[in-house]
């Protein structure tokens, strides 16, 4: 069984297009878990209009913010394989098939992405090339370029992953997932771009761009995450 976990907030503009790229790749027994961070637009209404019983909607029960929103979605999932998805991208039609194959020899797989603008015009054809993405614990501890929306993993990873450390300002959900996977499990990189990664100016995450965090905050983030990592 596959669970696709999506964190939504004011996503009415793109969410239907994203869901329509995902649903044809899922079986009847699979599920899409939507955790909504109390959207103020019509996000939940447009999702409901799809009338697909594989889509299960929950309100974020945790602190507001995309990291806790994703954690809530993951907590609600029941699949053997869990995919992370943003609300505003578009999946390639062979994403699930390729990622399932990658997970036959790893616990977590991360694929490449084509970077596009709000209208899906190509900005760069390879996130991996643009940011020199590499596997390995130390390189990703110091400066990860992994994107949560490009991850899929086996349920066994949750044994170490959950609960995510409480302070989301010091430990983003996907950075934590990267560290857990690289330290405790086997990670597989898939070099084929399997999503159109939409950058439209209102994204919740930086998408691999240089962080605006101060040097002191970056040090605090790594110390905080390392402490929790070694206590799993």
């Amino acid at each position: 069984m596959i669970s696709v976990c999506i964190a939504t907030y004011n996503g009415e503009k793109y969410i239907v297009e994203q869901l329509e790229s995902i649903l044809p790749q899922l079986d009847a027994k699979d599920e899409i878990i939507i955790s909504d961070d109390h959207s103020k637009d019509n996000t939940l209404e447009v999702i409901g209009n799809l009338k697909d019983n594989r889509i299960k909607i929950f309100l974020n029960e945790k602190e507001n913010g995309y990291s806790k929103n994703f954690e809530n979605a993951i907590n609600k999932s029941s699949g053997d394989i869990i995919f992370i998805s943003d609300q505003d991208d578009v999946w390639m039609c062979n994403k699930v098939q390729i990622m399932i194959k990658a997970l036959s020899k790893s616990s977590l797989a991360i694929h490449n992405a084509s970077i596009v603008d709000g209208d899906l015009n190509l900005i760069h054809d390879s996130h991996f090339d643009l940011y020199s993405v590499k596997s390995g614990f130390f390189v990703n501890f110091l400066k990860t370029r992994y994107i949560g929306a490009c991850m899929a993993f086996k349920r066994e990873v949750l044994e170490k992953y959950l609960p995510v450390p409480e302070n989301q300002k010091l430990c983003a959900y996907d950075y934590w997932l990267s560290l857990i996977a690289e330290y405790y499990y086997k990670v597989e990189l898939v070099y084929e771009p399997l999503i159109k990664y939409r950058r439209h100016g209102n994204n919740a995450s930086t998408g691999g761009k240089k962080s605006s965090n101060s040097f002191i905050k970056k040090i605090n983030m790594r110390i905080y995450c390392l402490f929790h990592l070694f206590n799993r």
Side-chain angles (χ1 to χ4, degrees):
M1 179 182 176
I2 293 171
S3 295
V4 179
C5 294
I6 306 179
T8 59
Y9 179 70
N10 291 350
E12 65 177 1
K13 185 174 182 180
Y14 301 117
I15 186 63
V16 171
E17 185 177 17
Q18 171 67 306
L19 290 171
E20 288 178 341
S21 74
I22 297 171
L23 285 165
Q25 302 186 52
L26 303 182
D27 292 334
K29 68 180 185 301
D30 298 331
E31 64 182 10
I32 295 180
I33 302 295
I34 304 283
S35 178
D36 187 74
D37 210 5
H38 304 274
S39 291
K40 297 176 176 61
D41 65 359
N42 294 316
T43 297
L44 298 184
E45 287 81 356
V46 299
I47 294 172
N49 288 339
L50 291 174
K51 300 186 186 304
D52 193 307
N53 58 17
R54 292 172 293 179
I55 301 174
K56 303 172 183 178
I57 299 174
F58 302 90
L59 290 180
N60 181 21
E61 301 168 349
K62 297 179 174 292
E63 176 187 352
N64 289 347
Y66 75 93
S67 281
K68 292 301 180 184
N69 202 15
F70 268 113
E71 183 182 359
N72 187 57
I74 292 168
N75 270 316
K76 300 296 185 184
S77 70
S78 54
D80 308 300
I81 302 294
I82 298 170
F83 283 76
I84 301 296
S85 174
D86 286 346
Q87 66 182 0
D88 42 15
D89 302 327
V90 174
W91 284 21
M92 303 304 189
C93 62
N94 57 347
K95 168 168 170 163
V96 170
Q97 177 184 4
I98 291 174
M99 292 298 277
I100 293 296
K101 183 177 180 180
L103 287 170
S104 69
K105 49 189 174 181
S106 65
S107 294
L108 182 142
I110 303 168
H111 64 73
N112 202 353
S114 298
I115 303 171
V116 299
D117 65 15
D119 297 317
L120 301 182
N121 297 308
L122 186 66
I123 297 173
H124 200 286
D125 61 3
S126 173
H127 171 82
F128 278 15
D129 289 346
L130 185 61
Y131 293 109
S132 301
V133 173
K134 298 177 182 178
S135 61
F137 175 77
F138 286 106
V139 66
N140 285 286
F141 172 71
L142 293 174
K143 191 177 183 180
T144 187
R145 296 301 191 189
Y146 290 168
I147 297 173
C150 296
M151 296 179 180
F153 54 93
K154 295 177 180 175
R155 191 163 196 85
E156 65 189 38
V157 174
L158 298 184
E159 295 175 12
K160 294 291 187 180
Y161 178 70
L162 293 175
V164 178
E166 192 63 27
N167 191 335
Q168 64 178 325
K169 293 182 180 178
L170 293 179
C171 187
Y173 87 96
D174 48 354
Y175 180 59
W176 177 244
L177 186 52
S178 301
L179 296 184
I180 287 291
E182 287 286 6
Y183 192 76
Y184 290 107
Y185 301 95
K186 183 178 179 182
V187 174
E188 180 82 6
L189 296 188
V190 176
Y191 288 86
E192 183 175 348
L194 296 179
I195 63 170
K196 296 178 181 180
Y197 187 54
R198 198 181 324 236
R199 313 310 293 165
H200 48 74
N202 293 313
N203 304 92
S205 64
T206 62
K209 291 183 180 180
K210 185 177 181 180
S211 171
S212 60
N213 292 323
S214 69
F215 177 75
I216 296 299
K217 184 173 182 180
K218 290 177 182 177
I219 294 297
N220 288 338
M221 290 167 61
R222 283 155 180 79
I223 292 172
Y224 180 81
C225 290
L226 200 62
F227 171 80
H228 286 279
L229 184 72
F230 289 160
N231 280 280
R232 289 298 160 106

